[in-house]
């Protein structure tokens, strides 16, 4: 098939992407955030108290893959699972054997507490614990990193689900109009008059939410704003002549909605996305801080903040989650600002 | 001309429910379209010519518009009884449309290839590669230079005339039997108009479809149509083969329209004529001749009764009391 590369570069989204790349603040924020987020999926390999490889009596063990291996397997006198950090020390001191342990780069897990292998409470930052330990002896840095992954994942999944609901319901409302539109408008009006924070607190105090249940509860609240945005877009676009032209050529409603109209409504949808993610992260932090978010052992910034504030004299416990949150949200807002600028046809409105 | 009826419209009524009341945009209109002919529909703004053509394809926005009565037979089947799915099989495959606004009738964010291929994929069941080949072929036919390259362009990279060519290519891609052209040259400048007319004339010869050409430009109609229907206030007031209509217009409105055209012959000092008055308010059409308030031949009968379309000779129909009486006197 003949395709000229020169003409393919004329896609408006390609031009916007090229413009986005020239806005350094947003572009580098995006790269940094993407890199960190992708890295955070490999956290069990980087930050963990389970060894990657153990060589013991000429046999190789991979606890990171296999999971539970009892301490007795390695001749360790502990109840239950092997303590790999002390195992490493033991093997190192025993110069006669060629046993060894390969630990992850940062050998602490976010879930181990004071009962585990010599952990101490309120350790200030040191080379051992980069950001100290908290009131139950957990490593703050490990928890911070895991919480990063959870926060971003939560916000992304929440936003995407909101978008799917919003595009389906809002799109149908705007496109079909009539009684369907009226019906859903009234539902949205009633729904949005509920005091949502209380609804969430009540539901999550009854149900003890897991990650996905919390997303479900939040979607119940958040689908409204997206739906209204998409409805307005579809309502405006459906009156344009290209829709009539597509209809007159026998195109199906589905194709018209999701190929023709949606492609023309992408600007507000995309520019809204980063800010929606910011809102999602803040919402999770807020709920966790109040204690109605994810169930306790889960590492989360809100819960760390709560603990930190009740131990205000241990500065690292407050400083760490606040700083992490600040820079994450700042990076996303920079991305959002860059996206908005890249999509803005008016050149003079660039922020300098 | 073969006499096989393709579309038969009987007593079509399309009304719009507006806040000011019911606007009778199309009021009891009947006409036929034969295979391979070009029917011109002429009328001023608001005479119902666009609504008539949109009704054929069932593209009246509802609400507020509604086809309240009549029948539209396509090859003997009533389109008004079709479901949405059945209708979408007809649209684009059997009856195609081109619109007035080439600048906005193409989706601005999709490539031409994507917009052309989707029609071929839907109606002809082609796979993407075959559809691209056919699309390039169609673009070549409407005179787009370098179609192999241009098909991957976006609409904003085309000029107005080129976009209208693309629209024609899309409309004719599936080889429809009827093409409805809703003022396709109005938004273009005169040289481009002539090119578009030539393309349509040539393609009509090649593909043999019937065309309904809607316009307010009597010159364009004279150049392309076989038969002309003149609409006024939601009614067809006169219908005749194009030569006959131009040589012996019978309805005072048609006569008025033709006399408003500038002429090359005649005195320079002569002022261009105009039809005095305003077109009727569609919300409030009395049971009289809609043209009566502006007619120079108005009589008492015109104020009391709406004339029906009547044959004056086998090919010529006119709805006018003055004319009927005149005919009666002369015979």
């Amino acid at each position: 098939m003949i395709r000229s590369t020169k003409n393919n570069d004329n896609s408006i989204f390609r031009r916007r992407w090229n413009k986005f790349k020239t806005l350094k603040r947003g572009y580098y924020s995006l790269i940094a955030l993407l890199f960190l987020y992708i890295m955070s999926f490999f956290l069990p390999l980087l930050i963990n108290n389970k060894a990657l490889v153990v060589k013991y009596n000429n046999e190789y063990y991979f606890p990171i893959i296999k999971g539970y291996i009892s301490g007795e397997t390695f001749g360790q006198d502990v109840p239950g699972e092997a303590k790999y950090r002390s195992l490493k020390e033991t093997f190192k001191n025993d110069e006669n054997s060629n046993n060894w342990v390969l630990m992850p780069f940062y050998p602490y897990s976010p879930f181990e507490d004071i009962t585990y292998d010599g952990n101490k409470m309120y350790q200030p930052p040191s080379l051992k614990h980069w950001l100290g330990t908290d009131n139950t002896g957990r490593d703050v840095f490990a928890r911070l990193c895991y919480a990063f992954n959870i926060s971003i994942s939560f916000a992304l999944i929440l936003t995407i689900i909101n978008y799917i609901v919003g595009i389906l319901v809002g799109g149908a409302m705007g496109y079909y109009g009539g009684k369907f539109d009226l019906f859903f408008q009234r539902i949205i009006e009633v729904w949005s008059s509920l005091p949502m924070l209380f609804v969430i607190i009540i539901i999550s105090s009854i149900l003890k939410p897991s990650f996905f249940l919390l997303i479900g509860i939040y979607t119940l609240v958040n689908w409204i704003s997206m739906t209204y945005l998409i409805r307005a877009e579809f309502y405006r676009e459906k009156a344009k002549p290209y829709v009539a032209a597509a209809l007159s050529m026998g195109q199906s409603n589905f194709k018209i909605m999701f190929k023709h109209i949606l492609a023309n409504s992408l600007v507000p949808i995309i520019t809204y996305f980063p800010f929606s993610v910011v809102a999602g992260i803040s919402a999770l932090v807020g709920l966790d801080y109040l204690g109605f978010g994810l169930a306790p052992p889960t590492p989360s910034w809100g819960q760390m903040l709560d603990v930190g504030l009740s131990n205000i004299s241990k500065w690292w416990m407050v400083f760490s989650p606040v700083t992490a949150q600040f820079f994450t949200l700042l990076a996303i807002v920079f991305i959002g600002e860059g996206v908005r600028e890249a999509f803005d046809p008016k050149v003079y409105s660039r922020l300098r | 001309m073969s006499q096989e009826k393709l579309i038969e419209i009987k007593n079509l009524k399309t009304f719009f429910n507006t806040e000011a009341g019911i606007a009778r945009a199309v009021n009891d209109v009947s006409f036929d379209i034969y295979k391979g002919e070009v029917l011109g529909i002429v009328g001023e703004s608001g005479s119902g010519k666009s609504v008539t053509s949109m009704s054929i394809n069932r593209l009246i926005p509802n609400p507020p518009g509604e086809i309240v009565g009549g029948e539209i037979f396509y090859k003997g089947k009533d389109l008004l009884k079709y479901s949405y799915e059945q209708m979408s099989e007809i649209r684009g495959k059997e009856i195609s449309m081109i619109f007035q606004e080439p600048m906005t009738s193409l989706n601005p964010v999709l490539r031409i290839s994507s917009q052309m291929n989707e029609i071929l994929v839907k109606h002809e069941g082609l796979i993407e590669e075959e559809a691209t080949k056919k699309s390039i072929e169609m673009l070549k036919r409407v005179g787009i230079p370098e179609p192999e390259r241009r098909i991957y362009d976006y609409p904003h990279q085309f000029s107005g005339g080129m976009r209208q060519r693309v629209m024609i290519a899309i409309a004719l891609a599936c080889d429809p039997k009827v093409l409805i052209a809703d003022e396709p040259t109005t938004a273009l400048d005169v040289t481009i108009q002539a090119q578009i007319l030539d393309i349509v004339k040539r393609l009509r010869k090649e593909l043999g479809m019937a065309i309904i050409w809607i316009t307010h430009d009597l010159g364009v109609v004279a150049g392309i149509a076989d038969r002309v229907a003149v609409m006024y206030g939601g009614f067809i007031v006169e219908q005749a083969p194009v030569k006959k209509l131009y040589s012996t217009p019978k309805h005072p409105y048609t006569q008025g329209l033709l006399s408003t055209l500038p002429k090359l012959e005649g005195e320079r000092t002569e002022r261009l004529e105009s039809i005095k008055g305003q077109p009727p308010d569609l919300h409030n059409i009395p049971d009289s001749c809609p043209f009566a308030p502006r007619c120079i031949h108005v009589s008492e009968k015109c104020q009391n009764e709406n004339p029906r379309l009547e044959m004056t000779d086998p090919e010529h129909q006119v709805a006018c009391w003055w004319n009927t009486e005149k005919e009666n006197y002369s015979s």
Side-chain angles (χ1 to χ4, degrees):
Chain A
M1 211 184 289
I2 315 151
R3 255 176 211 255
S4 100
T5 44
K6 188 175 143 257
N7 270 288
N8 281 339
D9 286 346
N10 272 313
S11 153
I12 188 149
F13 279 101
R14 184 166 301 246
R15 276 188 285 153
R16 282 167 176 163
W17 171 245
N18 285 338
K19 188 173 178 199
F20 179 75
K21 276 205 279 195
T22 66
L23 305 165
K24 298 295 174 213
R25 208 159 45 187
Y27 183 55
Y28 290 129
S29 297
L30 179 70
I31 288 180
L33 212 59
L34 266 183
F35 175 74
L36 287 177
Y37 185 57
I38 291 169
M39 287 291 283
S40 72
F41 282 99
F42 300 102
L43 275 180
L45 295 176
L46 299 169
I47 301 178
N48 205 339
N49 60 3
K50 277 196 175 63
L52 299 173
V53 190
V54 178
K55 191 188 177 204
Y56 181 69
N57 291 346
N58 289 328
E59 267 190 76
Y60 289 95
Y61 298 87
F62 300 95
I64 196 88
I65 301 166
K66 200 171 174 228
Y68 181 87
I69 297 175
S70 72
E72 287 155 8
T73 318
F74 306 117
Q76 206 175 22
D77 186 21
V78 289
E81 196 177 357
K83 306 275 190 289
Y84 296 102
R85 283 204 301 272
S86 31
L87 194 66
K88 189 176 181 180
E89 292 298 309
T90 321
F91 287 173
K92 210 184 241 173
N93 296 334
D94 184 7
E95 287 172 6
N96 299 329
S97 69
N98 54 354
N99 299 336
W100 49 264
V101 177
L102 179 66
M103 288 301 284
F105 173 69
Y106 191 82
Y108 294 93
S109 142
F111 299 108
E112 57 181 280
D113 58 12
I114 191 149
T115 60
Y116 187 90
D117 208 10
N119 283 336
K120 292 195 186 74
M121 302 187 292
Y122 304 125
Q123 292 285 304
S126 63
L127 278 179
K128 210 172 143 203
H129 297 287
W130 289 3
L131 292 171
T133 58
D134 69 1
N135 62 337
T136 52
R138 294 178 292 201
D139 186 87
V140 173
F141 181 71
R143 288 179 68 73
L144 203 69
C145 293
Y146 278 86
F148 173 78
N149 179 277
I150 290 173
S151 297
I152 303 251
S153 301
F154 177 86
L156 279 180
I157 295 174
L158 178 69
T159 307
I160 289 168
I161 291 180
N162 272 335
Y163 269 61
I164 291 171
V165 175
I167 288 171
L168 286 178
V169 179
M173 282 169 75
Y175 183 73
Y176 288 108
K179 287 194 179 109
F180 181 79
D181 187 24
L182 271 178
F183 179 70
F184 264 92
Q185 275 187 43
R186 297 296 89 76
I187 286 188
I188 286 174
E189 274 162 22
V190 172
W191 200 249
S192 61
S193 66
L194 288 174
M196 280 308 164
L197 186 62
F198 295 108
V199 172
I200 294 172
I201 288 175
I202 290 167
I203 296 178
S204 42
S205 63
I206 298 169
L207 288 180
K208 206 67 174 158
S210 65
F211 183 79
F212 284 101
L213 187 62
L214 202 62
I215 284 181
I217 296 170
Y218 240 92
T219 307
L220 282 181
V221 182
N222 269 15
W223 67 279
I224 291 171
S225 61
M226 208 54 226
T227 305
Y228 248 38
L229 188 74
I230 303 281
R231 174 188 174 271
E233 278 300 314
F234 272 59
Y235 197 80
R236 188 166 54 96
E237 289 293 327
K238 76 164 177 185
K240 298 245 171 105
Y242 70 82
V243 174
L247 257 179
S248 81
M249 296 312 299
Q251 206 49 270
S252 63
N253 280 331
F254 186 82
K255 266 265 177 79
I256 289 175
M257 281 169 76
F258 295 112
K259 183 174 175 185
H260 289 268
I261 300 185
L262 190 61
N264 278 283
S265 319
L266 279 182
V267 173
I269 291 175
I270 291 176
T271 46
Y272 198 76
F273 193 88
F275 302 104
S276 186
V277 172
V278 167
I281 292 176
S282 315
L284 181 68
V285 169
L287 274 189
D288 281 340
Y289 176 73
L290 293 173
F292 297 106
L294 300 168
T298 321
S300 93
W301 289 342
Q303 183 267 337
M304 289 169 80
L305 200 61
D306 182 30
V307 174
L309 281 176
S310 44
N311 297 286
I312 196 79
S313 58
K314 314 289 186 291
W315 60 270
W316 60 88
M317 284 170 63
V318 189
F319 171 80
S320 309
V322 168
T323 314
Q325 222 179 99
F326 173 76
F327 280 110
T328 309
L329 295 189
L330 192 70
I332 300 174
V333 170
F334 280 163
I335 295 171
E337 180 208 48
V339 169
R340 196 205 60 74
E341 263 184 61
F343 276 71
D344 192 347
K346 293 181 219 124
V347 180
Y348 59 79
S349 70
R350 291 170 73 171
L351 302 168
R352 276 291 132 94
Chain B
M1 191 200 308
S2 70
Q3 289 294 302
E4 190 187 329
K5 270 184 198 172
L6 260 186
I7 293 183
E8 192 178 358
I9 296 174
K10 281 183 178 167
N11 306 2
L12 178 70
K13 285 181 183 172
T14 306
F15 293 172
F16 286 83
N17 295 309
T18 63
E19 280 178 18
I22 294 171
R24 297 159 180 261
V26 175
N27 222 334
D28 213 348
V29 160
S30 308
F31 61 91
D32 305 328
I33 295 145
Y34 299 96
K35 203 176 170 187
E37 76 162 346
V38 180
L39 173 72
I41 300 183
V42 190
E44 59 197 322
S45 306
S47 60
K49 51 192 195 305
S50 286
V51 178
T52 308
S53 68
M54 302 285 258
S55 301
I56 299 174
N57 230 347
R58 297 255 310 273
L59 281 174
I60 303 295
N62 180 1
E66 202 184 348
I67 300 174
V68 293
E71 288 152 319
I72 299 171
F73 292 103
Y74 173 73
K75 286 186 172 168
K77 296 204 177 74
D78 192 351
L79 291 184
L80 297 183
K81 294 201 173 74
Y82 272 26
S83 68
Y84 177 82
E85 279 73 25
Q86 288 173 307
M87 212 48 223
S88 72
E89 291 299 313
I90 296 280
R91 290 175 185 153
K93 171 93 180 116
E94 306 284 334
I95 306 175
S96 258
M97 271 191 101
I98 42 181
F99 292 87
Q100 183 175 357
E101 280 294 334
M103 306 309 276
T104 50
S105 295
L106 288 165
N107 192 331
V109 299
L110 298 179
R111 290 176 203 278
I112 302 297
S113 58
S114 148
Q115 301 188 46
M116 286 194 81
N117 291 353
E118 67 175 16
I119 308 298
L120 288 161
V121 169
K122 179 177 164 70
H123 289 311
E124 309 273 311
L126 300 181
I127 57 165
E128 203 66 21
E129 309 243 312
E130 296 169 339
T132 309
K133 244 178 237 164
K134 181 93 196 280
S135 303
I136 292 173
E137 161 75 27
M138 279 316 294
L139 288 181
K140 206 173 275 167
R141 278 193 160 177
V142 296
I144 303 262
E146 293 186 83
E148 297 86 0
R149 188 174 64 82
R150 296 286 275 170
I151 192 170
Y152 297 109
D153 281 356
Y154 287 86
H156 68 88
Q157 290 165 291
F158 289 82
S159 69
M162 284 294 169
R163 279 189 221 184
Q164 195 60 286
R165 289 174 197 230
V166 172
M167 288 306 296
I168 293 172
I170 293 177
L172 298 180
C174 296
D175 206 358
K177 304 288 172 294
V178 183
L179 174 71
I180 301 172
D182 190 354
E183 306 201 38
T185 58
T186 309
L188 305 172
D189 60 52
V190 183
T191 48
I192 309 293
Q193 261 186 35
Q195 290 172 10
I196 297 287
L197 276 175
D198 283 345
I199 289 167
V200 174
K201 273 192 228 171
R202 197 188 71 230
L203 288 175
R204 183 199 154 209
K205 246 180 232 151
E206 287 173 18
L207 305 172
M209 71 276 184
I211 299 178
I212 303 177
W213 192 280
I214 293 153
T215 182
H216 55 249
D217 189 333
L218 288 163
V220 169
V221 163
I224 193 167
D226 299 321
R227 220 149 49 84
V228 182
V230 181
M231 287 195 74
Y232 186 83
F235 296 94
I236 289 184
V237 293
E238 187 164 7
Q239 206 184 118
V242 64
K243 285 208 178 100
K244 215 166 232 176
L245 189 94
Y246 280 71
S247 59
T248 53
K250 299 223 164 129
H251 197 279
Y253 177 61
T254 320
Q255 289 169 352
L257 276 182
L258 287 171
S259 67
T260 58
L261 290 178
K263 294 180 188 70
L264 284 174
E265 314 93 50
E267 290 292 309
R268 272 280 172 123
T269 49
E270 231 173 69
R271 282 182 65 93
L272 270 181
E273 276 185 51
S274 62
I275 306 176
K276 303 273 182 301
Q278 292 294 319
D281 178 10
L282 295 176
H283 293 104
N284 190 11
I285 292 181
D287 196 21
S288 64
C289 176
F291 191 60
R294 303 168 76 183
C295 186
I296 43 172
H297 305 293
V298 65
S299 68
E300 203 179 318
K301 195 170 187 188
C302 298
Q303 309 280 15
N304 297 327
E305 212 175 327
N306 193 356
R308 301 203 62 83
L309 208 56
E310 274 175 43
M311 298 229 182
T312 58
D313 67 60
E315 289 180 314
H316 202 148
Q317 293 169 295
V318 67
C320 179
W321 293 125
W322 171 66
N323 228 301
T324 323
E325 277 161 26
K326 209 172 59 176
E327 301 275 324
N328 290 344
Y329 285 133
S330 60
S331 59

